[in-house]
Amino acid sequence: MAKKVCWAIIFITIAINVVMLQWTIEAYLGLEFDKIFIYSPIAVGSSIIALITFFRWKKLEYSDDK
């Protein structure tokens, strides 16, 4: 069950990252630079959460306790 939760978190954070990237590009092209400083940290944070969750899943998947 924990492995499925890890995958759900990974997919959700990657989806958030894609949306934030799109919004960041639209804000940059629309010359709304104040929004870039809001969307970019959210995207970086979601990437970090996805990476940490991936390592947690890897530890659960390849542990000897089955």
Side-chain angles (χ1 to χ4, degrees):
M1 184 66 179
K3 295 177 198 175
K4 290 181 183 180
V5 172
C6 287
W7 276 110
I9 292 171
I10 289 170
F11 284 125
I12 290 169
T13 54
I14 289 175
I16 291 171
N17 195 1
V18 168
V19 171
M20 289 298 116
L21 177 62
Q22 176 188 354
W23 288 359
T24 301
I25 292 170
E26 288 178 4
Y28 179 75
L29 295 176
L31 301 176
E32 299 172 352
F33 298 113
D34 55 328
K35 291 184 180 179
I36 293 172
F37 296 112
I38 296 171
Y39 300 146
S40 296
I42 295 172
V44 170
S46 68
S47 298
I48 291 169
I49 291 170
L51 186 65
I52 291 169
T53 307
F54 170 74
F55 288 131
R56 172 77 176 141
W57 168 82
K58 187 176 171 184
K59 183 178 178 182
L60 288 172
E61 181 71 20
Y62 297 110
S63 68
D64 291 334
D65 302 332
K66 290 190 178 187

